[in-house]
Amino acid sequence: MFQNKLSGRIPPSIGNITRLSYLDLNGNDFHGSIPSSLGNWGFMEELSISQNKLNGTILKQVGAAQIDLSRNSFTGSLLLEVDNLENIWLIDVSENKLSGEIPDTLGKCQSMELLYMNGNLFQGTIPESLRNLKGIQEIDLSRNNLSGQIPKYFEEFHFLEYLNLSFNNFEGEVPKGGIFRNASTISVVGNSKLCGGISELQLRPCLKQASKKRGKPFSPRIKITVIIVVVSSVILLSCIFVTLYWRRNSPKKASSPSSTQNQWLQVSYADLLQATDGFSSANLIGVGSFGSVYKGILECFETLVAVKVLNLMQQGALKSFAAECEALRNIRHRNLVKILTVCSGIDFNGNDFKALVFEYMPNGSLEEWLHPNVDEQPQLRNLNLTQRLNIAIDVALALDYLHHHYQTPIVHRDLKPSNILLDDEMVAHVGDFGLTKFLSEAAEGFSQNQTTTSGIKGSIGYIPPECGMGGKASTHGDVYSYGILLLEMITRKRPTDDMFKDNQSLHHFVKSAFPEQVMEIIDPRLLLEDAEAIQDSENRNNLRNRTHDCLVSLASIGVSCSTESPKERMKMRDVVMEMHAIRDLYLEVGIHRQRQNRPLLLGEGSSYLSNY
């Protein structure tokens, strides 16, 4: 409904569509305030109501991965109090009448890539919390009443390509590192109290602070007071150090593989035994390399859970348990499986027992949907193209978070359809972190320096070729696995199918058909959907053309991600951008994203566009 001549107020009844994922009312003539009923939506994919005549305050409960409220007359403070702040990657509230300070909660938006707040009445300093936006690419805070010094942490933003701080009241020295090295990527004009910076900015030099005049010497009483304070502080710190040392080395508590358990509700072996009906085969929902997964109901959660019981007789199981605990201790993302608690104890026979308890995913794994068993009525286990797009984007967002937005880059190392779980709304969650490596640890080297099969970590078909040649763990390996996964999703062929022998592979199979014959190797079920139900021939042809363009573009990304050379593979943040663009073009939304006075959100050089 964007760029039409719709007018009046936004109807409150639209808030009753609680599963709405996209709302695009851009470029109309709506006036009045945002209906409070829109707070019923929860978290959406895209909310765009820019270029209207809306006023009033912005609902703090409304959240989306993309929020565009620009070019209206909104007033008041910008408040964001939704649960999924970490998944927001675009906020555009430019050209309004918003005031107050920049909210600290923006620092929780760790997936943020684009932030536009220009043309408002914001005041105060840039908050310290924004230093958490490590993956930010564009920031525009121009034409506000902001003050204070320009934060030096902007120098540490390696992906920042555009920074506009012009026409504010900033003061002090302009940094010289990072993005501030290039005058064409920043703007600080209209801040009369700024100084220094690189010569191209043509700012006045900063005056060195004159050395402070010596005051009168301290009186004896002040000297004695200072000595007493210093001595007391040393004694106090020594006591604290001794206490901490004694506690750390006290043998009275048996340590588990991870201190993670201290922050979770503890459950016992008996609790899990009861929850799963004695680990009944009727509740068995999966078997992996290091253990089995059971469905159950824990009284403390009063809901279905998935219990992963480790087979400690299996070599590497204990290390897998420790790795998964460490990986899941602090990471939080909508598209990662949520761990609820852990159990580390003994069973009724006196044997060691270790298990992890996760949120239950009622729609099983992506593997079950792509390759259903014959006796499961495969026609009932079919994913249409929109669902496959959504799942592919969910997985890309999860990897992008692990690679670029966590404090230490994390390599999953075992991405495959059986490790992608689907909740009741078919939202994908990446799970099984038993082979996970933090790059700081991986950089020191590990078993991949072996060329034997035992040194290769991952699943056959999804393992990057460099891992078989002594390569170390890197984010490039996850990108390769994602590329193979994407090709599997559009062809419905496993990389281990019998047809891929004698130096043939799923990557080469798709690449050899690209682009003219791609439609000949696509999962036929994707070509039989929707279009036949459309009566109008023009609209039917339009959908078929969009389906063709979408599938060719997905094949292009899959091939690019799974290329043999790690350095030639895409980065996950670029995959996320292009996958969003492909979905928007397929669904015919988001076409309006070109903005005046700033770059396109989707780069004109993107590879997917070259295929159209």
Side-chain angles (χ1 to χ4, degrees), residues 45 65 87 89 111 113 333-336 390-403 405 430 482 572 575-577 580 583:
E45 287 294 329
N87 293 332
W89 67 276
S111 295
E113 296 180 359
H333 192 275
R334 173 176 180 260
N335 300 118
L336 296 178
N390 290 337
I391 291 170
I393 289 174
D394 288 342
V395 176
L397 286 168
L399 290 179
D400 180 50
Y401 168 77
L402 295 175
H403 292 180
H405 302 298
V430 176
Y482 178 84
M572 287 313 303
V575 172
V576 169
M577 291 286 288
H580 273 108
R583 182 176 63 184

Side-chain angles (χ1 to χ4, degrees), residues 506-520:
L506 180 56
H507 168 87
H508 292 114
F509 175 68
V510 177
K511 185 177 180 180
S512 61
F514 186 84
E516 288 83 4
Q517 280 129 6
V518 162
M519 304 307 288
E520 298 176 13

Side-chain angles (χ1 to χ4, degrees), residues 437-453:
K437 284 287 182 180
F438 291 82
L439 276 192
S440 57
E441 175 186 355
E444 299 173 2
F446 53 95
S447 60
Q448 280 188 345
N449 59 8
Q450 304 172 20
T451 57
T452 61
T453 304

Side-chain angles (χ1 to χ4, degrees), residues 382-389 525-526 529-530:
N382 182 39
L383 296 170
N384 61 36
L385 182 52
T386 302
Q387 289 173 313
R388 298 191 203 197
L389 276 169
R525 295 185 297 181
L526 292 177
E529 300 167 348
D530 301 329

Side-chain angles (χ1 to χ4, degrees), residues 248-304:
R248 187 172 184 178
N249 291 274
S250 176
K252 66 180 179 180
K253 289 186 179 180
S255 60
S256 61
S258 173
S259 61
T260 307
Q261 299 150 358
N262 296 331
Q263 67 185 22
W264 289 322
L265 177 66
Q266 292 291 303
V267 295
S268 66
Y269 170 78
D271 294 330
L272 298 182
L273 190 71
Q274 180 182 359
T276 59
D277 194 18
F279 302 112
S280 166
S281 59
N283 287 325
L284 182 65
I285 56 177
V287 178
S289 302
F290 299 113
S292 303
V293 182
Y294 298 87
K295 178 174 64 175
I297 298 181
L298 270 175
E299 291 183 1
C300 51
F301 292 109
E302 297 182 347
T303 186
L304 281 172

